[in-house]
């Protein structure tokens, strides 16, 4: 894990351009992710939230721009640079992206086998079990197939795999999508607890207003092919932009804001 005392951004994106044929998704996009924060990334459909994440992860090479992760050039062709980034990042894709033919434990062991092939099988199993428990799953889930788990448990299994290498930077793509309100709230609480306990930096793509108000330190808004604003929720709410007004001042946003205020009041009164 990278040292938390370093004041430089853990992710720095400058002048990013992504396009598919004639369709330009990002143009001159800039973004910094601060160490130790949970950054929520929001935007309308087609604004390229997942494309931005994939570019930062090196899964897609942009047409232009610079990306640095842990101070390393994320677009470097040097495999040692890619390995340093991969060893310090974990990813939970929207659908979990688990291998259906592998057990939960075997899924969690995949990155361990790739980056630490010297570890004995018994050690990898014990590490996988630790991550399974850390993600809030019962110990017996380690030997189950993804098809034997509920949607919420599959999300947690995907999170366990994302945590396999003890990353300093965690990417979450719509982590609460498809979960019922109780399950989504529990997952939000788990992410915040892990972030604080492990000193994680979290890049979180979401459309869930409850998640934004419950756990995000700052929010980045994608619109007009770039990040038009980054700030705390009160700062974003004051932004005079049509999409921001519709998204952050509608009835769902008011309900999420009120719920957060009730929770804070209860904590202060405890």
């Amino acid at each position: 894990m990278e040292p938390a005392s370093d004041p430089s951004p853990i992710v720095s994106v400058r002048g990013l351009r992504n396009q598919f044929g004639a369709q330009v998704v990002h143009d001159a996009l800039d973004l910094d992710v601060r160490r130790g924060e949970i950054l929520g990334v929001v935007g309308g459909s087609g604004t390229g939230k997942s494309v931005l994440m994939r570019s930062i992860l090196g899964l897609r090479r942009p047409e232009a721009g610079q990306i640095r992760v842990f101070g390393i050039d994320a677009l470097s062709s040097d495999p040692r640079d890619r390995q340093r980034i991969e060893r310090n990042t974990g990813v939970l894709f929207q659908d979990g992206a688990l291998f259906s033919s592998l057990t939960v434990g075997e899924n969690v062991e995949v990155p361990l086998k790739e980056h630490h092939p010297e570890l004995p099988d018994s050690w990898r199993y014990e590490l996988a079990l630790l991550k399974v428990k850390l993600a809030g799953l019962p110990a017996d889930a380690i030997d189950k197939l993804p098809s034997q788990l509920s949607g919420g448990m599959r999300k947690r299994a995907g999170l366990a795999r994302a945590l396999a290498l003890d990353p300093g930077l965690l990417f979450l793509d719509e982590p609460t999508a498809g979960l019922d309100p109780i399950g989504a709230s529990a997952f939000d609480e788990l992410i915040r607890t892990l972030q604080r306990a492990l000193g994680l930096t979290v890049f979180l793509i979401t459309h869930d207003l409850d998640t934004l108000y419950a756990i995000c330190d700052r929010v980045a808004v994608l619109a007009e092919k770039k990040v038009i604003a980054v700030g705390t929720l009160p700062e974003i709410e004051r932004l005079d932009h049509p999409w921001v007004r519709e998204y952050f001042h509608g009835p769902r946003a008011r309900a999420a804001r009120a719920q957060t205020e009730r929770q804070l009041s209860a904590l202060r009164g405890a």
Side-chain angles (χ1 to χ4, degrees):
M1 190 177 295
E2 296 296 305
S5 58
D6 189 337
S8 61
I10 201 165
V11 176
S12 178
V13 180
R14 293 292 180 271
L16 187 70
R17 181 180 178 87
N18 275 306
Q19 67 183 88
F20 299 90
Q23 181 188 7
V24 177
V25 179
H26 302 136
D27 189 24
L29 184 152
D30 296 340
L31 178 65
D32 284 339
V33 182
R34 298 172 181 169
R35 292 172 184 268
E37 74 173 345
I38 298 181
L39 178 71
V41 179
V42 301
S45 178
T47 53
K49 300 181 291 295
S50 294
V51 175
L52 172 59
M53 185 185 82
R54 292 174 65 84
S55 297
I56 295 171
L57 288 167
L59 300 176
R60 185 186 192 283
R61 190 168 188 87
E63 277 61 38
Q66 298 178 331
I67 303 172
R68 301 192 73 82
V69 181
F70 302 111
I72 303 166
D73 180 5
L75 304 179
S76 170
S77 58
D78 188 334
R80 292 171 298 181
D81 289 336
R82 289 296 329 146
Q83 188 177 67
R84 285 178 62 196
I85 293 174
E86 289 172 5
R87 282 185 172 180
N88 284 284
T89 54
V91 188
L92 172 60
F93 292 101
Q94 183 173 345
D95 57 359
L98 297 170
F99 296 106
S100 60
S101 60
L102 301 181
T103 65
V104 169
E106 289 167 342
N107 268 281
V108 177
E109 287 184 37
V110 167
L112 292 170
K113 288 181 178 179
E114 179 181 356
H115 292 283
H116 296 289
E118 75 284 358
L119 289 177
D121 291 347
S122 60
W123 287 22
R124 279 199 298 267
Y125 184 87
E126 290 301 321
L127 285 170
L129 180 59
L130 175 64
K131 304 307 177 183
V132 165
K133 292 179 178 179
L134 199 61
L137 288 171
D140 62 1
I142 193 170
D143 295 319
K144 293 183 177 180
L145 292 169
S147 61
Q148 297 174 296
L149 304 178
S150 66
M153 292 179 75
R154 283 195 296 273
K155 296 267 189 183
R156 289 173 184 258
L159 178 61
R161 187 177 62 185
L163 295 171
L165 297 174
D166 296 321
L169 176 59
L170 187 62
F171 291 85
L172 307 176
D173 190 358
E174 298 283 7
T176 59
L179 300 182
D180 62 79
I182 294 175
S185 179
F187 201 91
D188 287 341
E189 185 177 345
L190 173 64
I191 294 302
R192 175 55 93 181
T193 299
L194 291 174
Q195 183 263 338
R196 288 173 173 166
L198 304 178
L200 296 170
T201 301
V202 181
F203 180 102
L204 189 159
I205 297 172
T206 188
H207 69 278
D208 191 330
L209 283 156
D210 289 332
T211 296
L212 289 175
Y213 281 94
I215 67 172
C216 291
D217 299 301
R218 293 194 305 152
V219 175
V221 180
L222 268 64
E224 301 165 12
K225 303 176 184 177
K226 61 187 68 177
V227 175
I228 61 169
V230 185
T232 63
L233 277 162
E235 291 169 341
I236 297 299
E237 288 169 351
R238 292 193 293 268
L239 190 66
D240 186 17
H241 185 275
W243 187 86
V244 171
R245 287 197 302 271
E246 182 178 357
Y247 188 74
F248 285 98
H249 296 279
R252 292 186 64 197
R254 289 195 294 271
R257 192 158 49 243
Q259 173 68 12
T260 301
E261 290 171 356
R262 286 194 297 270
Q263 291 173 342
L264 290 174
S265 296
L267 288 172
R268 284 193 292 266

